[in-house]
C-alpha cells in the first residue's frame, strides 16, 4: 500500500517511555493513562484496538 492510499489517522497517540511505565496520551480525545512497561500491558493495549489507524509518537524519559 502506498502512502497516498492510506487513510488519515483518526487519532494521535503519544507515549512517554520510562523503564517502569508508559504514559499514553490520546488525542483528540484528550485521554491519558499510565500503564506498566511490560509486554503484557502493551499487548492488552493492542488488543483493545487503541492503536489502529493512529499516528504514534514516542518520547523517552530519563535517558532511555
Amino acid at each position: 500500500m502506498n502512502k497516498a492510499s492510506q487513510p488519515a489517522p483518526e487519532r494521535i497517540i503519544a507515549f512517554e517511555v520510562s523503564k517502569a511505565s508508559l504514559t499514553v496520551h490520546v488525542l483528540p480525545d484528550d485521554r491519558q493513562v499510565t500503564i506498566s512497561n511490560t509486554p503484557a500491558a502493551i499487548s492488552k493495549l493492542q488488543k483493545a484496538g487503541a492503536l489502529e489507524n493512529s499516528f504514534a509518537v514516542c518520547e523517552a524519559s530519563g535517558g532511555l
Side-chain angles (χ1 to χ4, degrees):
M1 181 184 297
N2 66 35
K3 189 175 182 177
S5 66
Q6 293 179 343
E10 294 175 6
R11 67 186 73 79
I12 297 171
I13 303 177
F15 294 92
E16 185 171 336
V17 181
S18 73
K19 186 175 183 179
S21 64
L22 299 173
T23 300
V24 185
H25 192 95
V26 181
L27 296 170
D29 304 341
D30 199 24
R31 292 182 294 141
Q32 183 171 312
V33 64
T34 301
I35 64 171
S36 298
N37 190 356
T38 63
I42 296 167
S43 179
K44 198 173 187 181
L45 188 65
Q46 290 173 314
K47 288 179 183 175
L51 305 179
E52 291 182 24
N53 198 22
S54 299
F55 180 79
V57 179
C58 297
E59 177 187 4
S61 60
L64 290 177

